Structures are given as structure tokens and as C-alpha cells.
Amino acid sequence: MLKKNIETFLGCDREYDEAKIVLFGAPFDSTTSYRPGTRFASRTMRAESYGLETFSPYLDLDLEDAYVFDGGDLELPFGSVENALKDIEDFTRQIVNDGKIPLMIGGEHLVTLGSVRAVAEKYDDLHVIHFDAHADLRDDYLGAKLSHATVLHRVWDIVGDNKIYQFGIRSGERAEFAWGKEHVQTRRFDFVGLEDVVEKLKGKSVYFTVDLDVLDAAVFPGTGTPEAGGVSFDELRRAMNLVANKCNVVGCDMVELSPPYDQSGISTATALKLLREYLLALDYNINNK
Amino acid sequence: MLKKNIETFLGCDREYDEAKIVLFGAPFDSTTSYRPGTRFASRTMRAESYGLETFSPYLDLDLEDAYVFDGGDLELPFGSVENALKDIEDFTRQIVNDGKIPLMIGGEHLVTLGSVRAVAEKYDDLHVIHFDAHADLRDDYLGAKLSHATVLHRVWDIVGDNKIYQFGIRSGERAEFAWGKEHVQTRRFDFVGLEDVVEKLKGKSVYFTVDLDVLDAAVFPGTGTPEAGGVSFDELRRAMNLVANKCNVVGCDMVELSPPYDQSGISTATALKLLREYLLALDYNINNK
Amino acid sequence: MLKKNIETFLGCDREYDEAKIVLFGAPFDSTTSYRPGTRFASRTMRAESYGLETFSPYLDLDLEDAYVFDGGDLELPFGSVENALKDIEDFTRQIVNDGKIPLMIGGEHLVTLGSVRAVAEKYDDLHVIHFDAHADLRDDYLGAKLSHATVLHRVWDIVGDNKIYQFGIRSGERAEFAWGKEHVQTRRFDFVGLEDVVEKLKGKSVYFTVDLDVLDAAVFPGTGTPEAGGVSFDELRRAMNLVANKCNVVGCDMVELSPPYDQSGISTATALKLLREYLLALDYNINNK
Amino acid sequence: MLKKNIETFLGCDREYDEAKIVLFGAPFDSTTSYRPGTRFASRTMRAESYGLETFSPYLDLDLEDAYVFDGGDLELPFGSVENALKDIEDFTRQIVNDGKIPLMIGGEHLVTLGSVRAVAEKYDDLHVIHFDAHADLRDDYLGAKLSHATVLHRVWDIVGDNKIYQFGIRSGERAEFAWGKEHVQTRRFDFVGLEDVVEKLKGKSVYFTVDLDVLDAAVFPGTGTPEAGGVSFDELRRAMNLVANKCNVVGCDMVELSPPYDQSGISTATALKLLREYLLALDYNINNK
Amino acid sequence: MLKKNIETFLGCDREYDEAKIVLFGAPFDSTTSYRPGTRFASRTMRAESYGLETFSPYLDLDLEDAYVFDGGDLELPFGSVENALKDIEDFTRQIVNDGKIPLMIGGEHLVTLGSVRAVAEKYDDLHVIHFDAHADLRDDYLGAKLSHATVLHRVWDIVGDNKIYQFGIRSGERAEFAWGKEHVQTRRFDFVGLEDVVEKLKGKSVYFTVDLDVLDAAVFPGTGTPEAGGVSFDELRRAMNLVANKCNVVGCDMVELSPPYDQSGISTATALKLLREYLLALDYNINNK
Amino acid sequence: MLKKNIETFLGCDREYDEAKIVLFGAPFDSTTSYRPGTRFASRTMRAESYGLETFSPYLDLDLEDAYVFDGGDLELPFGSVENALKDIEDFTRQIVNDGKIPLMIGGEHLVTLGSVRAVAEKYDDLHVIHFDAHADLRDDYLGAKLSHATVLHRVWDIVGDNKIYQFGIRSGERAEFAWGKEHVQTRRFDFVGLEDVVEKLKGKSVYFTVDLDVLDAAVFPGTGTPEAGGVSFDELRRAMNLVANKCNVVGCDMVELSPPYDQSGISTATALKLLREYLLALDYNINNK
Ligand SMILES: [Mn+2]
Ligand SMILES: [Mn+2]
Ligand SMILES: [Mn+2]
Ligand SMILES: [Mn+2]
Ligand SMILES: [Mn+2]
Ligand SMILES: [Mn+2]
Ligand SMILES: [Mn+2]
Ligand SMILES: [Mn+2]
Ligand SMILES: [Mn+2]
Ligand SMILES: [Mn+2]
Ligand SMILES: [Mn+2]
Ligand SMILES: [Mn+2]
């Protein structure tokens, strides 16, 4: 008798019970103000993942040995921001309550808020490491409090002063940078200082959010607001590896891939390779600490 | 001394005071569930309009003689549906209160609700003619009451039973069609019966909403949910001309062009030609009745 | 506990046991001589099917009531034509031996040969109805006996003279048409005569193969060799409905959608709607005869 | 010893001496005011022609039997309009002086002027049949006398009143149509009346110019200014066949394919099929009159 | 009463009177020999500029404080090169005569000639800094004296020997490089030596022309002739900043963005960010010297 | 009398007799498992080569002085892998037997096998230098022995242990890397060590195969399986130059450009520039040793 068609990210085919890391997609981009399309990221990544190898020549590790479960994509209501965040929060809560690490694939950056709400509920004194081209620190955007452009401000509402560490930031309005100086630590353009931060956060619970537009526009054209002057694939790969190896990551996400603007497919392929490398490092770190 | 750069739809350069018809864009697609992008329609149409002639060989009329003002695009908040509708309603109210006919360019179909709210406030016993591939009659969509998929149900909330006349409908869920049978008049696939409806509505105030996906997918690929089996350009041109000529149109819109899915540009060019023909017919009818 | 991600064509979520029709994908295009890409058809159709409704306003039937199982995609070896055909044949054999109707989504047209081999093994006196822009009757193509351009000749090797009925043919070399005159019945350009054929085949077992390039190039750009002068969506929908209603279809397929050449997505959307209409008609016919 | 790589349009591989028809490309689009790209038409058509068959199922004729020579593409100076026209004129003159029929592939429509200059020099009382969406009758365009938008006015300067027959016209400025009424015969939208014209021109020398944008925008998106409401492939195929069969064509061209706007390739494929059918009809007519 | 729709580059909304810098577009590409499309650059940049921030995290300056006027786009005749240059010259003359700095957005590189003509008329001993992948030093191109490939030779006709400083050059014919050795200073591949040049030109009037294809093809695909091996965004940003800060720029331009080849939009976004950074530096320098 | 249209790579127009290097295309991609399209590489490169200069500002050499013949493209049977390899082998044999160096343009990487078979037949003790992102060392791929993913294993079958030197490798399955350690020399990610290898191979016959996906995905998106983290254009240019200058290259190829995934054209332009630089270096080396 034939079985139903199961689709997972390449090599992420563990059962939920045995998994340490739980991947899922949050296909939502209702507040995207410029070029929409991140809603298609998780399913495109899943479909394209079969063009990737499970083995990493960087780490000499293989996804076939890792403990990752793919929970598929949430079905989120467009045009109903608070409900969508609620669904993400509930799904994330189940994962963290089962003692697993959620790894959410966006969607626009606002989805991070749903996940952080659930993670912060479980883990006290939560710190946040944030890679992005954009500060995302506005208090409101055209009157809306919930927006991809305000998401780190909303996260700050939860975690408070001096808990958020931003890297790679190269875009924002004057007021954001001014506000940021008082409340978060922002490193512009690159990852200088990350080693110190990682050292400093030893023992703390860390939420790690990666907005892929931190990459240079040439490396990652497939995003809503591509920004020139960004980091290279190898810089991001190493920085993510550092966080996975040295921090106590209790929740994480990777957001802002927008397949409609990735005609050649290199952005999806790059996101997938970063995901593989990060999953392998995180899984290795969990099993060997 | 040099003057600032003014951009209008081709030939729509009358002053507000003298205009009979007021064009404006409502760039909003937050509730689009499938393929977003209609937010780019009005500015793409404005930019591409210079590839069109102002003269119509169908009507032997010229836009240079028409009384149309282009008010530009509203700046609408993404992710905040009710606020966006409010802004549309306020803008439309000003136009109808000044005794002019609003012609809104969407955006997704939900923007119609903002415009109808203002128009229905001014005109009693409002009737609605609706061209679309989709019934848009759901009561809610994944829990959301305000959605492109519910917009005609929301319009029905305002105008009531037997006031809405749908044509060209070829997609919807079973429940929508069932509900529709009780509350609206639906013609599937084509415009058969439009002449009778137009005759019947003589003397009534009519809101006319054209979802461009009523066109066949081959003719109009650049839309969120293209549907095969639709009407031709000429069928739609004639049907729109009939409404412009025979009805007392007090408000209208043209929605669902999505430039990101219009790689060849034929959908934008087609929408522009329909807009020109409709504007000319409506303007002629206003000035000659 | 979370469950694994199951992906099926929209509404085709019956269990294998209860299903009457079994859908599956054959992602293979190794012999395509011109523009490759049909290998992506089945997974693109599955992903895009959520933009479709399950309800048909043509038939007033709903896929939620139909008995269709989606078996996913075969993993076929590229560059090894005979092995790929063998895998298709084996998979199809299992389905027909379980008393169900296989509905294969190509892939290039050669995949039909694998399916026909299994179906012809089970059903004697098999007749074939073939919709296509191309005759596909070459005996070899650049020396290769197994090719999308020879597939109906290979099917003729199995079923013999006067068993194959072609419709819509508008391309081929002179020799193919000459050979065809002796061995198959070919209707050029359209479906004239299909009603007679369907009448004549009453009681016979029929394999039904639809090469979607029978559609006009404007309606269906997303295929390897688009041909102007083809049939419309509605003509094909009605013709497929006729076969589903009147014939004893024991196996069928739909081939040659090539997503890389379908930038706007209208070809995929059109293929999906044809699939829905055909599935509904076939399912209805099975359950009501 | 290996030979150099020769590239011709499919099946057009006769030697110059024996040929009756001489094909060549005029890759020029310097005066295109809207979307450029027709400069790529001839080489794209040549490259894509191997996706076509040499046999016509419409005519039961084969290009392998026809007498057509492909002279390649002219190398024309961009930004130097008069020089480019001179080069075209000289090349065409050689062909007509050798007693052959030139068939030029544009490029923008202005290239027709170069060809007509040479043809009119040789053939007295030249008449012109013109298929187009656009009247192309302006006297100047933004001050320029030589433009794709003025080309038929320039041709009129040569051939004079009542020698130009236009069909399919559906775009132009008011003044053009007014001027045209006095000097040329214009049929709007379709080919009605072509049979009478063809009858009337019996015995006359005819230059036949086909601007492919006469086709509907859905059928032929790949052109600079696509216009909805045009003719179908079959209508154009039949109209071109009529001219080839009944007129004494002494020169001809096919212009305005713009490959950069033909992402799916259907416009190129359609142009090629029209070229094949027209070549076969013309060749047949030459050899059988 | 509603006002007409004004469109400017983001943040460039000063009145003409108060502005120090005057931006305008020169949409012209008639002599482009390879891939046309730069005619769309200025309007695409204007439309896309709303995806950018007005604030620069590099300079801690904001366009809201700068004195820049946007004069819109010139309407230039295609196919009439000398007339187009005349229109550019006249427009530029007005700006320089009003004591302001023209910043022209191309168009192809030939537009620089029109601007230089006006600027050189006003400023004696004009020097030119030229960033480009191409030498643009031919004396003629396929017989034409006025071409994007000859523009710097034409500029040399005006300014004379040893006044032109080229950087980043990595393409040209042998003869161009040979001629250049005698008449201009050419730095191949990068910006080495720019600091010395800038020092040397202290006190001189400088025209600064930036052909954006000096950027690496990966960083800037959206141009007519992309060349691998170019400079990075950051290298160009710094080099432009150096010129803006240290030179007495009396006229400038930015040319060769070609939106039709910028499917992902990264080239437009990159051009806009370079424009913002350059405007801020130039404005700051003007107001603080 | 007019001559037939000859098309060659830019500047490669020597007669066969006088040529030292023979270029030809092998348009074949039947075993490509992920994204097909390399079949279009050679003809796209030939067509686009006219956007390139013949002169190299890196080497101060000009293709007009080089001795290169372009033999056009082979016509290879799709779906018949062994026959295609046979055709390549036969064509290559003729070239090497005439004492010339074959330079094949793929196609997928498997075409290398055909060429190596002929070259190894003529030259004893053949060594292979292999640039690639992928190890290509599988013994079989989904059961197939002949595949782009096994090609270097098949080459090893011919040349034996320690004859293959791989550089730039950053993708493969665990088993490939393990097998490779015993039989070939693999340098991951970059060209470190190439100088030593080149020194060591002095006097040996070398086959040089360049899979262009060794380039970073941002630099070279137009390939079947783009891989982030690759080398830059300049690194590859220098490495290819080193091999051309220091090795006794007796056969070579450049494979895996896939034009359908190169929307902006930068991959084709980059491949062409690498080809020019490599041809000039190889030609110079042949004539000066
Ligand atoms: Mn962000
Ligand atoms: Mn961001
Ligand atoms: Mn609608
Ligand atoms: Mn609709
Ligand atoms: Mn077929
Ligand atoms: Mn076919
Ligand atoms: Mn024309
Ligand atoms: Mn035209
Ligand atoms: Mn230049
Ligand atoms: Mn340049
Ligand atoms: Mn390889
Ligand atoms: Mn590779």
C-alpha cells in the first residue's frame, strides 16, 4: 500500500520525539512595506533543499546524523497581524515546553516577535543576538506598532535595556539610531565585537535572530529591501557558527528570504547552506556540551 | 525657474476644480493570501501610461478633452487593515462631497470596501455592479472578516439583499455560491444578462467595481490569482462601456493588477487601455446627459 | 506531539485504500530536445494548488467529496531512460493491479510509455486517445528510439494499428504525418470528431494522454515547445470532460508543463484547473456508472 | 578538415544563386520611443528556429523544398539613423537587382523605409499592404522625421496617395487618423476588406510590411508596444497567406519582435511559424504562377 | 482641494530657489550598441527611492537637511542624437548659470557630452574625473562620432590633453588604450592614485562622471555591458566620497543603470544608495567650505 | 553574390588549418539532476560574444592575433548518453590527431569524459587539473555510472590514482570525500597549492577542466547548482592563467554555464571574459615556448 507524500527540509527527517531542534515555517509578510514575498520562503527552501548535500565540507558533519524535526508550515491569516503572532507564539510554546529548540523560517521579520514571546515566557533573563541590515527599532511605522520595522523595539518591550546585540546594521532612520544608543548595543556594517559579546553571554539564554538581508545585496538579492555594503557568505557563516558553538541558544530564526526576487535561485541556495551549517553546528554543540 | 516634477496618468492633467472624475491609487495588499504585489499597480500604471495614446480609435474621443484629475496615491499603512480602509474612506468622502466621481485604482479588492463606505453614505439605495473571476462572498477568511475574499460580503453588509450584480464569476468555494444564491445575483463565466441589469438600474446610483482578473489568464497574467476561462479584452471593454454609458455611476474602481507577475507588461498595458476607454465613455456620458 | 509535513495536490487527501484514482508525479525530461524543465511540473503544481478552490463552478462538484490519493513523486534517474521507464511501469502496475486508475503528471511525454506498458499488460485491446500539438510518431529521434518525439510510435508498437486517436496535432515532420496516415487516426488542429470516437470506443478500455501543449501558446506558454494556433482552455476542458464522462478510462496522464518557462504562473494555474475539472468528472463517472 | 560554423534560419540553406527569396536581418531600434529590444529579433529567431519543424501541416509543404537564402544580419550603426537606412537600402537594392524578393526581419518599423526605397526604385507604381496595431502616419515624432512612428508617412512620400492599405490599426493620435483619411486606406482592428484589396491589386507590384504587434498582446507579448484587442495567430496566418498567394509581392518585411519582452519565448515561436507559413506560400506562388 | 501628484527622488524636495544641487534625468540610449534600457533609469530610481532611508549611517547625515531640487526628466527625441544633446546642454546651462550644481542621471554615457558642453562654457580649465569599466575613447564607433563609446574622446575635444582622469577601466580596444596613453591619464581596474589626483586638482573646477558599470558585474548586473573584475560598492562609495569632499565639483552625472537587466532590483538599490551618499557628501562640502 | 552567414566566438575566425586551438560546443545536459539548461551555453556565449572586446587590458594581447578556430556545436542525441559521449570523443580525436588543442564548451560536466577519452588515447601519463565546487567523484548516481556527479570518477577509471588535482571543492557527499582521499588530491574552497601542482606537472601532459560553478554564486548565478562561498572572478582568472602559462595543456574544457538561470547575463559575460583571457594566455604560451 502506498504512503502519503511527506516533504521535509533535506535531511531533517527525525521523528518529533527524538529531535533536539524543531524547524518550522512562518509564511507571513502582511506588514512588509516595500517588496512582499517572504511568505514563499519556507516552502521554496523545502523544495529546493534537494539540490543541497547533507554533508558539510566545512565541518565534516552530516545532517543524516543530526536530530532535527521539520514541523512544516503554519497556516497564518493574512491581514490579521495579532492573530498570526498568536499562532506563532502558541506553536513555539509547545516546542520549548517539550525542551526543544525552535528554529523558525520566516516570513518577514515581525514573526520573530511571536517566537520571542513564547521563548521569553520560559527563559528568564533572555538575551537577543540580532543580525540585520536594518535596525528595526522604530516605535511605530506609519502608525502601526506591529511591523517588520518595529520588531526589535517590540522585543525590547519584553527583554528590556541592554539585552539586544545588533550586528551588520547599515540602514535606519536617524531617530532609530538615536533611540538605539540608549537601549541596545548596535554594531554597524559588520561583526566586529561579536566574539566579545558571545564570551560575555556565556551561561545566559540567548535568542538568535538572523535577518538574511545582513548579507550583501549581490550575495542575497532575493529579499524585500536588499542593501549594498553587507557581509559576505563566509562572514555570516562564521558568525552564525560562533553563536551556535558558544552560546546557549534557546530559540532562533532566519527571516526575510523573498523568492519572487530571487530569479536565479542563489539566495535560496545560500539560505539553505547557511541553514545546514547552522543546524550542524547547533546540533553538534547540543550533543557535545 | 524650474518646477517640480508632476506625474499623472496620461492625459489626466486637469485641475481638481474643473474635474468631473477623480482618479487615485490605493496601494494596499495586506490581506492578499496568495501572490502579493497589487500595491505596485497604480504607480506602475502611471509610469507606463506614456506608452499609450490619448486618442481612442474605438470611440473617436481623446483624453485631452476629458475632465479627469489625478490625485496621486494614498500612503496606506501595511499590516493595519482597518486604518487603511479608514484612509480610503476619508479620501473618497471628500471627492463625493465635492460632487465628483471617484475612480480608485487598487490594490487588492478589499480597498473597494473603503470607497463603498464613503459612497454609500452619500447615495441612498446604492446598487453595485461587480466584475470578477471570484465571488468574494466569504463571511470570513481564515478568521479574518476583512479580506479580499470577503469584500463583497462586507459590501452586502452595507447595501443589503439584491443590490449586488456579479458577472464573470468562475471561482469560489461551495458555501459562497450557496450563500450568494440567497443574497446577490451571480452570473457565472460571462456578461450575459448585463444589458438587462443595466436597463433595470436606470435612475439608480451605481457603484461599479472591476476586478481585472475577470479577464482570461492569457490576456491578464499579471494578477494574484489568474483564472483560465475568462472574458476577452473586447468583451470587458464593451461591458465596461455599457455600464459607463447607461448607468448613473457615482463611484468606481479597478483592482488586482499585480505588476510583479506581469513580466512582459501586457497586463499593465491592457489595464491602461481599459482605463482610457472607460474614462472616455464615463466623461462623455457625464457631459452629454 | 507534532506530525510530519504531508503535501498533496489540493483536496487529494484520501487514503490509498479508499481511493479510486491515484495521482503521482513522474519528474523526468532527459530526452527533451529543445527547452527542458518539465521535471519541475508535479512539485510546482502541488505547491501552487493551494491557490485553487476545491469546488468547480462548471460541474457543481467538490474535490473534498472525490476519492483521490496523491502518491507523491517518483525519484527517477536522469540520463538512464530505460531505468526511468521501468520505475514508472512498476509503480503504475501496482496501481492498476489494485484496481485503481493511475493519473500520472509528467515530465516529458516519454513517461507515457512506462505507464502504457503497465496498463496494456492488464487491459486487453487497449485504445489510446492522444491530445497534443505534436504527432510524436517518429520511429527514432537523432538515433534514439526512446524520446518524447517517438513516444506514440512506441505506444503503437504495443497497441497496434488503428488504436490511437490523435487530436489537435499541428506540428511534425512530413514523414510522421505520412506514417501516421497508415497506422493511427490523426485530427489536425482541433477536436472535431472526438464525439464520434468517444461513441465508437464505448465499452473499450481507454488510455488517455494529454500533452498540454495542445493548448494555444498564449494560453499555455510554460511548455518546452509552445505552438501557436492551438485550442483554448474551454475547448480542452470540454474535450477532457467528454472523455472522462463517456469512456472507460483505465489509465491517464497529463504531461509537458514546464514551470521554468511559466514566469507568470498562468500555465501552472491552467493545468491545475484542468486537473481539477478532469478529476471531478472522472470521479463522478466512476461512482455513478 | 573542419568547416566554419554556418547559421541560417531553419531550412533556409539554399545558395544565393538558386534562391528566389532572400532573408536578412536588420537589427536596429534607435528610434524606438518606448521599450527597445527589436535589435535582437533576427538573431533570436535564427537561434530558436531549430525548435520548429520545416513541414507545414497547414499547407502540406516543406521548407526543405523551398528556394530561400539567408544572408545573415546587417551590421547597422546605432545612433546614426540615415546611415543605417542607407545600408539597408543598398543591401536590398542588390537583392532586387538580382531578381529576387527581399524578406527583411526587423528591427523597429523604421527599417521598412530603407527597403521600400530600394524596391520603389526598381518597381514603378508600387503599392503597399501594411499590417500593424499602429497607424505610423505621424509627419514627425518629437521633431524627428525618421521614426518608427512616422515610417508609413515617409513611405507615402515615396509612393503617394491611395497606394497604402492598412489593416488591424487600433492605436494612433487623432491627427494621424485625420491625415490618413485623406491619403491612405485604413481598416481598423481587423482584416475585413483584405480580399477586395488583394483582388484590386492584381497585376500591381506590392510591398508587404507586417508589424507583428498587429497580433493581440496575449498572443504576442514580446514587442515594444503591445496592444490589446488585436488579431489572432490564425487570422494573421490566413491574411498573410492571402497576400502571398494573390499578390505580386516584390519586397516584404516582418518587424517589431522584441525578445527582451518575450520571457516565455512564445512571441519568437509565433513569429517563426508565421515566417515559415509565409515563406512556403510565397515560394509556392512564385514557382507555380 | 486636492493637489497634483509630485514625484521626486526620496528626500530631494527643496524648492529650486533654495537648492544648491539640481538633480534631473536624461532618459536616452539611442547609441547603445549592445543591450539598451538605460532610458528607464531615472524614473525607476525615482520610484524605487521610497525603499531607501534618508539617513546615512556612514556619514550620520540626513537628506532631509540637504538642499537638493529634483527637476524631473527631460523629454528627449530618440533617433536624433544631436537634438537630444542640445536639450541636455540647454537644461544644464540654466542650472549652472543659476549658480547651482547639476547632477544628471543617465541614460547612456553619451548624455555626459551635453552636460559637459554647458559646464565647460561656464568654467575655464575644466578637469574631468571619470569612473568607468570602459575607456570610451574611440574616435568613432561604426562611423558615428557621437556614441557612448566615443564620449570621453568628445569630451577631450572640449577640455584638451591631460585634463581627463580615468579610473577602474578594464575594457576597450587596443587602439583606444594606445590613444589614451598620449592624451588622458588612465588607471586600470581600480582607484589607486585617486588621492593624488584629487590633491593635484585642488582649486580646479571638476566635472565628475560616474559610469556605474565600474562596479563589479555581480554587484551591478543591471547595466548594458556588465564587466567582471570591477570595484566593490564600498570602494566606489569611498572614491565618490573623496571626490565630493576634496574637489570643487561644478557638474556631475551618474550613468548606465539599465533597469530591464536588473530583475532583482539590486542595481537600482545600489545606485540609489550611492546617490544618497554622494549627495550628502557634496551638500555637506558645499555648505561647510 | 551574397555569402552564407558564419557565426563564431568573437575573434575566433582563423581557418582550421592555421589554428592551434580548436573551440567547439557540446550542448548536452541529459544527466543534470537539478536544474537543466547548460545545453544552451555554447550558442548563447557565441551570440553574446559580440558584447566583448577582443583586446585584454590584463595581458595587453588581442584575440585578433591569436590562432583559434571555432568548429561550431556538435549535434548530440538527448537521452542517449553513451552515444553523445561517443560523438564528443570522435570529434575530439580528430582535433588532437591534427596536433591541435581542443577547447570544449559544455554542456554539463559529463561531456568532459568524451573529450578525456580521446585525449588520453593520444597522450600517455595524462594528468588532470579540475576546478569545481563539486567533487564529482561518486561511483554512481541513482544507479547511473555516467553522470555529471560521477564524471571525475570515470576520468579516474582512465588516468588512475594520483593523477587528478581538484581545487575549489566545497560540495559533495561524505563518501565522495572519503574515496577522494585515497585516489585524488583535493583542495577545498580555494586555489591554495596550485602553484606547487603546476610546478610538479612540468613536462607532463595536462587535461584542464573548469566547472564554472567553482565561482561564487553571486559572481556566477547562471549554473545548475550555484554554491555560495566560491572563488572570485579574479582568483579564477589568475588560476586559469597560471595553468595556461605553466602547464603543457593538451586538452581542456569549460562547463556548466546555464543561460536559463542567467537572467541578467552576467554569468555569460563572465564566462566569455574568462574564455578570452584563457585563450590569449594559452595561445601566447603555445607560440612562445
Ligand atoms: Mn529585519
Ligand atoms: Mn532587514
Ligand atoms: Mn475580487
Ligand atoms: Mn478576483
Ligand atoms: Mn507530446
Ligand atoms: Mn507536444
Ligand atoms: Mn509599426
Ligand atoms: Mn506597431
Ligand atoms: Mn561609459
Ligand atoms: Mn561603461
Ligand atoms: Mn562538475
Ligand atoms: Mn560543479
Side-chain angles (χ1 to χ4, degrees), chain F residues 7-288:
Chain F
E7 289 215 0
T8 66
F9 282 93
L10 179 86
C12 301
D13 42 16
R14 296 279 173 174
E15 295 301 320
Y16 183 70
D17 271 355
E18 57 179 343
K20 304 276 174 62
I21 304 169
V22 175
L23 230 91
F24 68 96
F28 183 81
D29 59 8
S30 257
T31 82
T32 300
S33 51
Y34 186 41
R35 309 192 308 182
T38 61
R39 68 180 68 184
F40 300 116
S42 49
R43 71 179 175 96
T44 301
M45 284 176 72
R46 209 174 272 117
E48 296 297 314
S49 68
Y50 78 100
L52 198 72
E53 303 283 350
T54 54
F55 175 73
S56 163
Y58 296 96
L59 301 173
D60 279 311
L61 295 171
D62 201 302
L63 272 179
E64 291 182 348
D65 303 332
Y67 289 81
V68 187
F69 171 84
D70 178 0
D73 286 352
L74 300 181
E75 191 171 5
L76 301 170
F78 282 92
S80 181
V81 178
E82 201 40 271
N83 287 355
L85 289 178
K86 187 66 171 40
D87 291 354
I88 293 168
E89 184 181 345
D90 291 348
F91 195 82
T92 309
R93 182 177 296 114
Q94 179 176 1
I95 296 165
V96 294
N97 285 347
D98 288 341
K100 300 169 196 306
I101 301 174
L103 198 172
M104 177 174 57
I105 305 295
E108 56 154 276
H109 211 156
L110 181 60
V111 298
T112 296
L113 182 58
S115 179
V116 166
R117 282 175 179 170
V119 172
E121 197 183 275
K122 165 119 181 181
Y123 296 98
D124 287 341
D125 191 30
L126 189 68
H127 288 67
V128 176
I129 297 179
H130 171 220
F131 294 176
D132 204 328
H134 308 91
D136 290 351
L137 291 172
R138 281 170 168 86
D139 189 23
D140 72 294
Y141 188 68
L142 295 178
K145 287 281 182 178
L146 298 175
S147 161
H148 65 102
T150 68
V151 62
L152 268 292
H153 200 120
R154 288 297 82 74
V155 168
W156 173 88
D157 292 343
I158 296 172
V159 299
D161 274 351
N162 304 319
K163 296 288 182 62
I164 299 174
Y165 298 84
Q166 304 186 309
F167 291 88
I169 312 301
R170 57 192 186 278
S171 189
E173 54 174 17
R174 188 155 38 184
E176 279 180 277
F177 282 98
W179 184 89
K181 254 178 205 155
E182 310 296 317
H183 303 285
V184 305
Q185 182 185 311
T186 301
R187 170 68 199 178
R188 294 188 192 181
F189 309 123
D190 55 31
F191 295 123
V192 172
L194 179 61
E195 298 212 13
D196 292 348
V197 167
V198 156
E199 197 58 37
K200 191 168 134 190
L201 295 187
K202 230 163 218 173
K204 313 281 190 190
S205 296
V206 169
Y207 189 93
F208 182 28
T209 179
V210 178
D211 182 333
L212 289 162
D213 64 21
V214 72
L215 285 162
D216 191 78
V219 172
F220 201 77
T223 191
T225 314
E227 299 276 351
V231 304
S232 72
F233 165 77
D234 234 53
E235 287 168 330
L236 180 53
R237 185 185 61 75
R238 283 200 200 104
M240 290 177 71
N241 190 49
L242 187 63
V243 174
N245 279 336
K246 297 291 178 58
C247 290
N248 178 29
V249 175
V250 295
C252 46
D253 60 55
M254 193 185 251
V255 301
E256 296 287 358
L257 168 66
S258 184
Y261 294 96
D262 184 36
Q263 291 90 348
S264 68
I266 60 167
S267 311
T268 301
T270 296
L272 280 165
K273 194 177 270 194
L274 288 166
L275 179 62
R276 180 188 72 194
E277 295 299 313
Y278 176 70
L279 278 173
L280 287 171
L282 191 62
D283 179 79
Y284 183 84
N285 188 37
I286 294 168
N287 293 309
N288 291 278

Side-chain angles (χ1 to χ4, degrees), chain A residues 34-35 174 188 227 263, chain E residues 48 57 65 263-264 273:
Chain A
Y34 187 40
R35 309 192 309 183
R174 187 155 36 184
R188 295 188 191 181
E227 300 276 352
Q263 291 89 347
Chain E
E48 296 299 313
D65 304 332
Q263 290 89 348
S264 67
K273 194 177 271 193

Side-chain angles (χ1 to χ4, degrees), chain B residues 65-269:
Chain B
D65 304 332
Y67 290 80
V68 186
F69 170 85
D70 178 0
D73 285 352
L74 300 181
E75 191 171 5
L76 301 170
F78 281 92
S80 181
V81 178
E82 201 39 271
N83 287 355
L85 289 178
K86 187 68 171 39
D87 291 354
I88 294 168
E89 184 181 344
D90 291 348
F91 195 83
T92 309
R93 182 178 297 113
Q94 178 175 3
I95 297 165
V96 294
N97 285 347
D98 288 341
K100 300 170 196 305
I101 301 175
L103 198 172
M104 177 174 58
I105 305 295
E108 57 155 278
H109 212 156
L110 182 60
V111 297
T112 297
L113 182 58
S115 179
V116 165
R117 282 174 178 171
V119 172
E121 197 182 275
K122 165 118 181 182
Y123 297 99
D124 288 341
D125 190 32
L126 188 69
H127 288 67
V128 177
I129 297 180
H130 171 218
F131 293 176
D132 205 328
H134 308 90
D136 290 351
L137 291 172
R138 280 170 169 87
D139 189 24
D140 73 294
Y141 187 68
L142 295 178
K145 286 282 182 177
L146 297 176
S147 160
H148 65 102
T150 67
V151 62
L152 268 293
H153 200 121
R154 288 297 83 75
V155 167
W156 173 88
D157 292 344
I158 297 171
V159 300
D161 273 351
N162 303 318
K163 296 288 182 61
I164 298 174
Y165 298 84
Q166 305 185 309
F167 291 87
I169 311 301
R170 56 193 186 278
S171 189
E173 54 174 18
R174 187 155 37 185
E176 278 180 277
F177 283 98
W179 185 88
K181 254 179 204 154
E182 310 296 316
H183 303 284
V184 306
Q185 181 184 311
T186 301
R187 170 68 198 178
R188 295 187 190 181
F189 310 122
D190 55 32
F191 296 123
V192 172
L194 178 62
E195 298 213 12
D196 292 349
V197 167
V198 155
E199 196 59 36
K200 191 168 135 191
L201 296 186
K202 230 164 220 172
K204 312 281 190 189
S205 296
V206 169
Y207 190 92
F208 181 27
T209 179
V210 178
D211 183 334
L212 289 162
D213 64 22
V214 73
L215 285 161
D216 192 78
V219 172
F220 201 76
T223 191
T225 314
E227 300 276 351
V231 304
S232 72
F233 165 77
D234 234 52
E235 287 168 329
L236 179 53
R237 184 184 63 75
R238 283 202 200 102
M240 290 176 70
N241 190 49
L242 188 63
V243 174
N245 279 336
K246 296 291 179 58
C247 290
N248 177 30
V249 174
V250 294
C252 47
D253 61 56
M254 193 185 251
V255 300
E256 296 287 359
L257 168 66
S258 183
Y261 295 96
D262 185 35
Q263 291 89 347
S264 67
I266 60 166
S267 311
T268 301

